[in-house]
């Protein structure tokens, strides 16, 4: 069994990944991303064992990660769950700087001003790598999800969404039955690194969804208490 998260209080790690599809017949421009072609932007949340606990596959490639999170059903469920916890307990998802910092979703410091904040960022990154690895394993198992493997899913967008969700279910099946984890293939790793390298400032924090006081106070307290 793989180890869980190093970061305290983590309920899961969240990220999005792009899946290339054939050109849609409706709203084609919405599916155009930063690279040639048409894409879905699919959100996943994984646990410390690389198993996906939630998936959202319905948004065009031009929609940024923060918007997908804001409108997904899991967000409301998480908020309700955290609201029912006694004050002495807490938990959160961890995500990259494409998300707003909130009480239930902690992100890295963009500009560390202390040793404690640097330690927080290092620990956050080590744990957040779980979801990046989970996506890499998923795309290595099911290479139709990787554009570097030679093309796009040759179905309409709704069928492509269903294919992605089916691959996630089969990935979880493999984990539940202790089927050996496969190595992330080099072309899959290159694709995910490409998306990270081209991570635009427009996707770095959707300020209309930011609650600075609640989220930043939660992050500051965690940093003070643990790092």
């Amino acid at each position: 069994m793989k180890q869980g998260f190093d970061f305290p209080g983590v309920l899961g790690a969240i990220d999005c990944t792009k899946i290339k599809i054939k050109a849609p017949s409706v709203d084609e421009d919405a599916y155009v991303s930063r690279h040639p072609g048409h894409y879905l932007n699919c959100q996943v949340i994984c646990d410390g064992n690389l198993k996906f606990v939630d998936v959202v596959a319905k948004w065009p490639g031009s929609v940024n990660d923060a918007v997908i999170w804001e409108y997904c059903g899991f967000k409301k469920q998480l908020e309700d769950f955290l609201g029912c916890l006694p004050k002495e307990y807490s938990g959160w998802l961890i995500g990259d700087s494409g998300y707003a910092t909130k009480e239930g979703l902690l992100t890295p410091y963009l500009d560390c001003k202390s040793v404690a904040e640097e330690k927080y960022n290092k620990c956050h990154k080590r744990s957040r790598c779980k979801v990046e690895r989970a996506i890499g394993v998923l795309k290595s198992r099911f290479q139709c999800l990787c554009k570097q493997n030679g093309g796009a899913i040759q179905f309409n967008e709704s069928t492509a969404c269903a294919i992605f969700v089916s691959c996630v279910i089969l990935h979880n099946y493999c984990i539940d039955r202790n089927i050996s984890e496969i190595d992330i293939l080099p072309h899959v790793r290159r694709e995910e690194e490409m998306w990270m390298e081209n991570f635009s400032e427009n996707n770095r924090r959707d300020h209309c969804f930011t609650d600075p006081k609640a989220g930043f106070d939660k992050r500051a307290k965690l940093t003070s208490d643990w790092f």
Side-chain angles (χ1 to χ4, degrees):
M1 181 68 69
K2 305 175 189 69
Q3 294 182 349
F5 297 103
D6 296 329
F7 198 85
V10 178
L11 301 173
I14 185 171
D15 203 358
C16 285
T17 188
K18 300 291 178 68
I19 306 298
K20 192 173 184 182
I21 61 173
K22 76 173 187 178
S25 57
V26 179
D27 296 328
E28 178 185 350
D29 290 349
Y31 292 83
V32 176
S33 189
R34 297 185 299 275
H35 292 271
H38 301 79
Y39 296 85
L40 299 171
N41 195 11
C42 299
Q43 175 185 282
V44 292
I45 300 172
C46 82
D47 65 15
N49 294 320
L50 309 187
K51 183 176 179 179
F52 295 109
V53 299
D54 190 69
V55 56
V56 178
K58 65 178 183 179
W59 291 88
S62 63
V63 178
N64 74 35
D65 300 359
V67 172
I68 297 174
W69 168 244
E70 187 65 21
Y71 291 105
C72 80
F74 192 89
K75 176 178 177 290
K76 179 64 166 61
Q77 295 175 22
L78 177 64
E79 291 171 347
D80 290 345
F81 169 73
L82 294 177
C84 293
L85 290 178
K87 290 185 178 179
E88 62 268 27
Y89 297 103
S90 59
W92 35 73
L93 299 180
I94 52 174
D96 62 27
S97 55
Y99 298 96
T101 301
K102 294 191 174 186
E103 289 187 273
L105 203 172
L106 298 184
T107 65
Y109 290 95
L110 295 181
D111 182 17
C112 293
K113 301 184 184 303
S114 68
V115 172
E117 291 180 1
E118 291 175 355
K119 289 180 178 179
Y120 167 101
N121 270 11
K122 289 179 181 178
C123 187
H124 188 283
K125 182 177 181 180
R126 285 198 305 271
S127 292
R128 195 176 73 247
C129 282
K130 292 284 187 178
V131 70
E132 296 168 1
R133 178 163 184 80
I135 291 170
V137 172
L138 174 70
K139 287 188 172 183
S140 296
R141 287 191 192 277
F142 306 102
Q143 295 182 53
C144 63
L145 303 179
C146 179
K147 86 177 188 69
Q148 297 287 347
N149 197 44
I153 296 178
Q154 295 300 320
F155 295 95
N156 62 33
E157 56 273 26
S158 60
T159 302
C161 290
I163 290 172
F164 182 82
V165 173
S166 298
C167 291
V168 167
I169 292 170
L170 291 171
H171 168 90
N172 284 352
Y173 178 93
C174 292
I175 291 177
D176 287 341
R177 283 149 185 81
N178 294 317
I179 296 174
S180 298
E181 179 184 322
I182 66 174
D183 292 332
I184 299 176
L185 298 174
H187 60 273
V188 173
R189 192 181 302 279
R190 285 195 300 271
E191 177 171 315
E192 292 306 304
E193 289 174 350
M194 174 194 68
W195 288 119
M196 292 303 298
E197 289 169 0
N198 290 276
F199 190 62
S200 71
E201 290 299 323
N202 291 333
N203 200 35
R204 273 200 175 272
R205 187 167 285 129
D206 198 343
H207 292 281
C208 67
F209 298 137
T210 303
D211 182 358
K213 182 172 175 50
F216 294 162
D217 285 355
K218 176 70 73 174
R219 186 173 66 181
K221 185 177 188 310
L222 178 68
T223 304
S224 175
D225 290 347
W226 285 85
F227 300 98

